[in-house]
């Protein structure tokens, strides 16, 4: 259902980034934080979604500390919402390498240039980091229009890659009249298996709005 809803949001062009989701995490002391990410894939049969991030960022540190996350999709124009909760594990390196290589070269330079979530003394210092990263790989410094061509190799930095958020529970929400919304919760138990999990059968519960 999530895959179908994502396709409908994309086909109807309901918003500039129909695959945008809020990703919430907690640190070791239980303090929450949230930010908007882009979902880069839904793997239906095993039951996980994929996103990419800097492993050393705040969210990366929090995922390392708790190993869990919550993702929320909201398509206001379609009157729908999805919430997914579960453990988050790093994606295989080969998968992260392949996705990184598919990104625009400017984004690949940016991944090397910025120590995400860390303080920076000024915008000028950030621009100097970008210029240094471009020089490192023999690339031009990305401009505001990001049109300069570059065909060189920019490898994936070791601090950047994918995560798989394994669905332990999925709640689908559909807006209803008089605020009598439809809320359906699917839950399952996840059993560690290989680099991920194997899920038991889903259990469905209808929730009060």
């Amino acid at each position: 259902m999530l895959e179908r809803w994502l396709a409908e949001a994309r086909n109807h062009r309901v918003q500039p980034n129909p695959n945008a989701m809020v990703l919430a995490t907690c640190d070791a002391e239980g303090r929450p934080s949230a930010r908007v990410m882009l979902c880069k894939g839904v793997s239906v049969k095993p039951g996980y979604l994929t996103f990419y991030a800097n492993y050393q960022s705040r969210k990366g540190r929090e995922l390392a500390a708790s190993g869990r996350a919550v993702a929320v999709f909201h398509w206001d124009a379609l009157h729908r919402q999805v919430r997914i909760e579960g453990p988050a594990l790093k994606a295989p390196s080969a998968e992260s390498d392949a996705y990184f290589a598919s990104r625009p070269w400017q984004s690949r330079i940016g991944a090397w240039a910025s120590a995400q979530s860390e303080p920076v003394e000024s915008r000028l210092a950030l621009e100097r980091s970008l210029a240094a990263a471009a020089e490192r790989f023999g690339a031009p410094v990305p401009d505001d229009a990001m049109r300069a061509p570059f065909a060189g190799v920019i490898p994936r930095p070791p601090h950047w890659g994918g995560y798989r958020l394994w669905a332990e529970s999925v709640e689908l929400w559909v807006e209803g009249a008089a605020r009598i919304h439809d809320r359906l919760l699917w839950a399952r138990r996840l059993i560690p298996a290989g680099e991920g999990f194997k899920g038991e059968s889903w259990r469905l519960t209808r929730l009060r709005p």
Side-chain angles (χ1 to χ4, degrees):
M1 187 70 78
L2 170 60
E3 185 181 51
R4 187 186 309 162
W5 283 8
L6 269 169
E8 290 180 13
R10 187 177 297 111
N11 294 336
H12 286 80
R13 302 179 184 273
V14 297
Q15 57 201 48
N17 292 297
N19 60 329
M21 63 184 187
V22 175
L23 184 79
T25 54
C26 282
D27 64 14
E29 285 72 46
R31 292 173 295 199
S33 64
R35 73 290 293 161
V36 177
M37 305 281 295
L38 295 180
C39 173
K40 290 299 183 176
V42 176
S43 298
V44 175
K45 189 172 181 180
Y48 63 79
L49 58 82
T50 303
F51 62 92
Y52 292 86
N54 186 312
Y55 295 147
Q56 297 172 350
S57 64
R58 179 176 178 179
K59 58 183 167 294
R61 296 192 301 268
E62 292 177 351
L63 288 169
S66 70
R68 296 185 63 83
V70 180
V72 178
F73 296 85
H74 181 220
W75 302 288
D76 199 29
L78 298 179
H79 313 287
R80 294 171 175 172
Q81 179 175 282
V82 179
R83 183 169 62 211
I84 299 171
E85 303 181 27
L89 302 179
K90 287 182 180 179
S93 295
E95 184 177 303
S96 293
D97 288 340
Y99 175 72
F100 189 79
S102 74
R103 305 181 85 207
W105 71 265
Q106 296 90 340
S107 298
R108 285 178 275 155
I109 289 291
W112 281 98
S114 177
Q116 194 175 67
S117 302
E118 294 301 314
V120 63
E121 56 270 27
S122 66
R123 175 73 189 188
L124 179 60
L126 190 58
E127 291 172 352
R128 286 173 176 168
S129 296
L130 183 65
E135 182 180 9
R136 175 178 179 176
F137 297 105
V141 178
D143 59 17
D144 290 339
M146 300 187 76
R147 294 172 182 168
F150 179 67
V153 176
I154 305 171
R156 177 176 65 92
H159 59 265
W160 191 99
Y163 286 95
R164 291 175 174 178
L165 174 56
W166 289 81
E168 198 170 63
S169 67
V170 179
E171 181 186 332
L172 303 182
W173 178 97
V174 179
E175 184 178 355
R179 301 195 64 80
I180 304 300
H181 314 305
D182 281 313
R183 294 179 61 191
L184 298 174
L185 176 68
W186 282 264
R188 63 176 179 170
R189 190 167 76 95
L190 293 174
I191 303 170
E195 293 184 307
F197 297 91
K198 180 179 179 181
E200 294 186 343
S201 298
W202 291 100
R203 303 179 307 279
L204 173 60
T205 305
R206 178 177 284 273
L207 303 177
R208 293 180 181 273

